[in-house]
């Protein structure tokens, strides 16, 4: 089946630094990717929809200037957490739909665990 | 925003027993999916049931869907300790992203 990868799988950083997370669709093209955030013992909450070649669409309450999304190609979307603070510590998961084959299937990456000290 | 609720929020059973989790949602859907997540890990897709289907089986998993009640259930039969995980339902409206429920934390005691 289709595979979505994320890098890094985990990252620890100091407060105030910026962290970039990459999401790649490995064997299919994704015009749209999605970024979710999951706090401990909670569900996945959609942060934003990443559109190839255009601006991302952010969910209500998600700061677009803090969570920068770039979807530069049909296989790569990046999420940059700018000036990270301890409250940004979370599990970030990306996903993509393979509209070329099975439009109803959304594939998920393995997630990136961010710890901000 | 979240589509709906799962219940129970937490479930603890003995190995060999059946586990039933329920999911309710609010809007019309294209399909509903169930995922498993082990602690600190990524999501594992379990099963997808379309809006025109009422029941689906996969191994020890049985999923039902009642679109009139906007609800679904996941039954795990003959549970094993390895089934210990969080289980989420997710609703699919088509090309929009999946919307997840709050999840059920299942503990299977050996």
């Amino acid at each position: 089946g289709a595979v979505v990868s994320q890098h890094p799988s985990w990252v620890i950083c100091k407060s105030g630094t910026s962290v970039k997370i990459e999401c790649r669709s490995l064997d299919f093209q994704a015009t749209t990717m999605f970024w979710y955030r999951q706090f401990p013992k909670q569900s996945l909450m959609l942060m934003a929809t990443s559109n190839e070649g255009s601006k991302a669409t952010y969910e209500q309450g998600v700061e677009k200037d803090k969570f920068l999304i770039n979807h530069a190609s049909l296989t790569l979307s990046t999420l940059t957490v700018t000036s990270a603070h301890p409250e940004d510590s979370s599990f970030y998961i990306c996903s993509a739909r393979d509209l070329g084959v099975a439009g109803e299937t959304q594939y998920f990456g393995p997630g990136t665990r961010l710890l901000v000290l | 925003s979240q589509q709906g609720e799962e219940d129970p929020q937490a479930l603890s059973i003995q190995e060999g027993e059946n586990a039933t989790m329920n999911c309710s949602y609010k809007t019309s859907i294209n399909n509903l999916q169930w995922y498993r997540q082990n602690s600190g890990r990524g999501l594992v897709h379990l099963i997808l049931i379309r809006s025109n289907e009422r029941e689906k089986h996969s191994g020890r998993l049985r999923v039902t869907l009642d679109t009139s009640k906007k609800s679904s259930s996941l039954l795990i039969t003959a549970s094993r300790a390895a089934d210990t995980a969080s289980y989420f339902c997710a609703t699919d409206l088509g090309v929009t992203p999946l919307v997840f429920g709050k999840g059920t934390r299942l503990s299977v005691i050996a």
Side-chain angles (χ1 to χ4, degrees):
Chain A
V3 177
V4 174
S5 69
Q6 277 184 246
H7 177 79
S9 56
W10 59 271
V11 58
I12 302 173
C13 69
K14 293 182 179 179
S15 186
T17 60
S18 293
V19 175
K20 180 185 282 188
I21 302 170
E22 294 186 348
C23 176
R24 293 181 186 274
S25 56
L26 298 183
D27 52 4
F28 66 98
Q29 293 184 329
T31 55
T32 304
M33 292 183 174
F34 309 105
W35 287 95
Y36 293 82
R37 178 170 55 183
Q38 184 181 33
F39 292 108
K41 295 187 178 181
Q42 294 188 25
S43 186
L44 282 75
M45 296 295 292
L46 180 67
M47 298 176 65
T49 300
S50 170
N51 303 299
E52 188 267 338
S54 64
K55 292 183 179 180
T57 305
Y58 291 83
E59 295 299 298
Q60 192 172 9
V62 178
E63 300 175 56
K64 62 180 182 180
D65 295 329
K66 181 167 184 62
F67 298 99
L68 300 179
I69 292 173
N70 184 280
H71 196 149
S73 76
L74 289 172
T75 59
L76 174 64
S77 175
T78 61
L79 168 68
T80 301
V81 183
T82 61
S83 187
H85 291 285
E87 58 266 29
D88 298 323
S89 297
S90 188
F91 193 49
Y92 292 86
I93 303 174
C94 73
S95 70
R97 283 185 181 272
D98 184 359
L99 293 176
V101 177
E104 62 190 4
T105 304
Q106 189 169 325
Y107 298 98
F108 287 85
T112 296
R113 188 161 301 283
L114 170 64
L115 177 60
V116 184
L117 302 176
Chain B
S1 61
Q2 285 176 304
Q3 170 72 283
E5 302 273 336
E6 276 114 318
D7 82 275
Q9 290 187 343
L11 178 62
S12 184
I13 59 174
Q14 296 287 328
E15 207 168 29
E17 293 180 339
N18 296 341
T20 299
M21 289 159 268
N22 302 296
C23 167
S24 61
Y25 56 93
K26 299 173 183 175
T27 67
S28 297
I29 59 172
N30 192 43
N31 65 67
L32 185 144
Q33 303 178 33
W34 285 90
Y35 288 82
R36 183 183 74 219
Q37 184 181 37
N38 289 75
S39 180
R41 307 292 291 275
L43 295 172
V44 174
H45 183 263
L46 295 177
I47 200 165
L48 179 154
I49 185 165
R50 294 182 176 82
S51 60
N52 61 353
E53 297 176 313
R54 291 296 167 261
E55 188 171 311
K56 206 162 183 179
H57 297 255
S58 177
R60 293 184 296 114
L61 305 180
R62 173 177 169 258
V63 168
T64 63
L65 179 65
D66 187 334
T67 53
S68 66
K69 295 181 180 178
K70 292 187 170 56
S71 67
S72 174
S73 68
L74 170 66
L75 168 67
I76 303 174
T77 60
S79 63
R80 305 167 182 168
D83 295 328
T84 295
S86 290
Y87 291 82
F88 297 94
C89 68
T91 51
D92 188 350
L93 278 64
V95 295
T96 55
L98 292 177
V99 179
F100 286 83
K102 293 185 178 180
T104 294
R105 292 192 306 279
L106 173 66
S107 296
V108 181
I109 303 166

